[in-house]
Amino acid sequence: MIEFYPLGKLVEKYSDEIHDAVLRAAFSGRYLLGPEVERFERMYADYIGTRHCVACASGLDALWLILRAYMEMGFMEPGDEVIVPANTYIASILAISENGLVPVLVEPRFDTLEIDESLIESHITSRTRAIMTVHLYGRLAWSGNMSEICRRHGLKLIEDNAQAQGCMTLNGRRTGSLGDAAGHSFYPGKNIGALGDAGAVTTDDGMLAETVRALANYGSKEKYVFRYRGRNSRMDEIQAAVLAVRLKHLDEDNEARRAVAEQYSAGISNPLIGLPMPMPSQCNVWHQFPVFAECRDRLQQHLAGCGVQTMIHYPIPPHRQQCYSRWSEMQLPVTEKIHAQELSLPISPVQDSEDTAHIIRALNAFR
């Protein structure tokens, strides 16, 4: 069986460096708020191209912390609205609603899989305070026009960069540095993954970074003095040490993903299977390689029979989830089409060309 994402092989690829990093952190005697986290924060801020990076416990926490910090700073209040793509993973929306803010779902474009910028302004109201753009599947979901919309309406631009670490614009700016703040996930399956959950916030806003850091530490800037009602959301030293190793190799790992994607794009020729719209290479780090088929479930079964493990991202759209049952009557046809047809193929920095060729043959043999 060709694994969808062979995490063990990824760790093995850099096993000596990871081994040394884990031992260094384990025997340091500092396990939280120590030098490994400080080092990773500096490295990641430099990599992304922002003045500040604040490590935290997960990507969901990173987005929650950004929004809560804006509320503590007086820019938002309960009941304010945040525009978000309707086809995103549920974490983007949970971060909004958990803060007492209102998610406003905007349809994506089927060809890009990202939020349809032409629809954004029609959803802006007097209560809108931010746009959250989500770089789904590792694809760039931003343009200068989006920033201009935010400037024109006085909105914050927040990036959900959970799936696109290393992605760049045509002029060389990295996702995570394009808006006012960005949330990042280092879940093990991400392009840069920890050995457990971890996340970070990047921003150029010093006040926001200071507020996020306090909120992530129970709301405390000074030991036992609590300015905010925060939460415990801290990256541990071992995860930071591992992430520093993975960060050094992120660009080469992304290039390896692009090589797999290029082989798929050149080889898949089945008219029953749709491919993602091409983008300039730096604008896509291929967190996933999604294909589309009206008979998606049958295709997945066919591939399993050929020894190929696949995943669906995601089988149920947010507005059809029980936790948001108030949206159950909402009609979002583009989102629903994506969720009904999407199937993710194996893609990773350790996938060899023979396995990719086998997957292509299986896809082209599907009838």
Side-chain angles (χ1 to χ4, degrees), residues 123-201:
H123 289 78
I124 294 174
T125 74
S126 62
R127 296 304 300 269
T128 307
R129 295 293 178 267
I131 297 170
M132 183 182 290
T133 189
V134 186
H135 305 292
L136 279 169
Y137 306 107
R139 299 167 66 91
L140 177 68
W142 173 89
S143 73
N145 182 53
M146 187 179 291
S147 293
E148 175 58 23
I149 291 171
C150 289
R151 187 200 63 77
R152 193 160 58 243
H153 293 275
L155 309 178
K156 298 297 185 184
L157 178 58
I158 300 167
E159 295 174 79
D160 181 338
N161 198 43
Q163 299 186 7
Q165 300 95 342
C167 185
M168 299 175 73
T169 66
L170 290 174
N171 64 357
R173 295 176 61 194
R174 293 193 190 277
T175 54
S177 70
L178 305 176
D180 295 283
H184 307 255
S185 170
F186 306 121
Y187 177 79
K190 304 301 185 184
N191 288 40
I192 169 175
L195 299 184
D197 273 320
V201 172

Side-chain angles (χ1 to χ4, degrees), residues 261-322:
E262 288 172 6
Q263 190 175 350
Y264 277 143
S265 297
I268 298 170
S269 59
N270 190 327
L272 297 177
I273 300 169
L275 299 180
M277 185 186 78
M279 301 180 75
S281 63
Q282 69 267 41
C283 298
N284 194 345
V285 293
W286 295 103
H287 175 60
Q288 305 295 348
F289 191 100
V291 296
F292 302 89
E294 292 183 4
C295 44
R296 187 264 313 281
D297 294 346
R298 192 163 61 82
L299 174 60
Q300 185 174 42
Q301 292 169 4
H302 165 78
L303 290 172
C306 296
V308 179
Q309 189 179 57
T310 58
M311 288 190 69
I312 298 169
H313 293 93
Y314 302 94
I316 305 172
H319 69 288
R320 294 284 187 254
Q321 297 286 355
Q322 186 175 352

Side-chain angles (χ1 to χ4, degrees), residues 33-283:
L33 303 178
E36 297 289 350
V37 169
E38 292 176 4
R39 176 170 174 259
F40 175 71
E41 286 178 339
R42 290 194 301 271
M43 289 176 63
Y44 198 62
D46 288 344
Y47 178 83
I48 294 296
T50 56
R51 293 189 182 93
H52 307 281
C53 170
V54 182
C56 63
S58 70
L60 171 57
D61 276 7
L63 295 173
W64 182 92
L65 288 162
I66 291 168
L67 293 167
R68 178 55 61 90
Y70 279 134
M71 296 177 79
E72 297 290 355
M73 294 164 65
F75 185 78
M76 299 179 186
E77 61 182 33
D80 284 343
E81 298 171 352
V82 178
I83 288 172
V84 64
N87 63 318
T88 187
Y89 181 59
I90 198 75
S92 313
I93 297 170
L94 287 172
I96 299 168
S97 59
E98 280 187 9
N99 275 301
L101 302 166
V102 179
V104 176
L105 307 185
V106 175
E107 284 267 64
R109 285 173 44 176
F110 190 80
D111 57 348
T112 68
L113 309 176
E114 311 296 346
I115 192 168
D116 187 338
E117 290 188 20
S118 71
L119 301 178
I120 288 175
E121 287 196 276
S122 66
H123 289 78
I124 294 174
T125 74
S126 62
R127 296 304 300 269
T128 307
R129 295 293 178 267
I131 297 170
M132 183 182 290
T133 189
V134 186
H135 305 292
L136 279 169
Y137 306 107
R139 299 167 66 91
L140 177 68
W142 173 89
S143 73
N145 182 53
M146 187 179 291
S147 293
E148 175 58 23
I149 291 171
C150 289
R151 187 200 63 77
R152 193 160 58 243
H153 293 275
L155 309 178
K156 298 297 185 184
L157 178 58
I158 300 167
E159 295 174 79
D160 181 338
N161 198 43
Q163 299 186 7
Q165 300 95 342
C167 185
M168 299 175 73
T169 66
L170 290 174
N171 64 357
R173 295 176 61 194
R174 293 193 190 277
T175 54
S177 70
L178 305 176
D180 295 283
H184 307 255
S185 170
F186 306 121
Y187 177 79
K190 304 301 185 184
N191 288 40
I192 169 175
L195 299 184
D197 273 320
V201 172
T202 55
T203 183
D204 284 331
D205 186 333
M207 180 60 71
L208 179 70
E210 181 181 330
T211 307
V212 164
R213 192 176 296 281
L215 285 165
N217 188 35
Y218 298 98
S220 174
K221 294 183 179 181
E222 179 184 352
K223 195 172 180 67
Y224 300 132
V225 178
F226 302 96
R227 181 171 180 178
Y228 311 112
R229 297 178 186 179
R231 61 170 56 182
N232 175 13
S233 181
R234 299 177 297 201
M235 182 188 292
D236 68 64
E237 290 285 283
I238 290 176
Q239 301 306 338
V242 170
L243 287 169
V245 171
R246 294 294 309 276
L247 181 58
K248 289 193 301 182
H249 301 285
L250 178 56
D251 287 343
E252 68 180 89
D253 284 349
N254 283 341
E255 284 303 316
R257 289 173 178 272
R258 290 187 179 107
V260 175
E262 288 172 6
Q263 190 175 350
Y264 277 143
S265 297
I268 298 170
S269 59
N270 190 327
L272 297 177
I273 300 169
L275 299 180
M277 185 186 78
M279 301 180 75
S281 63
Q282 69 267 41
C283 298

Side-chain angles (χ1 to χ4, degrees), residues 339-361:
H339 286 258
Q341 295 190 10
E342 194 276 344
L343 185 68
S344 296
L345 304 180
I347 188 167
S348 79
V350 294
Q351 184 168 314
D352 62 40
S353 59
E354 291 183 6
D355 281 349
T356 306
H358 172 80
I359 296 166
I360 291 169
R361 288 193 295 271

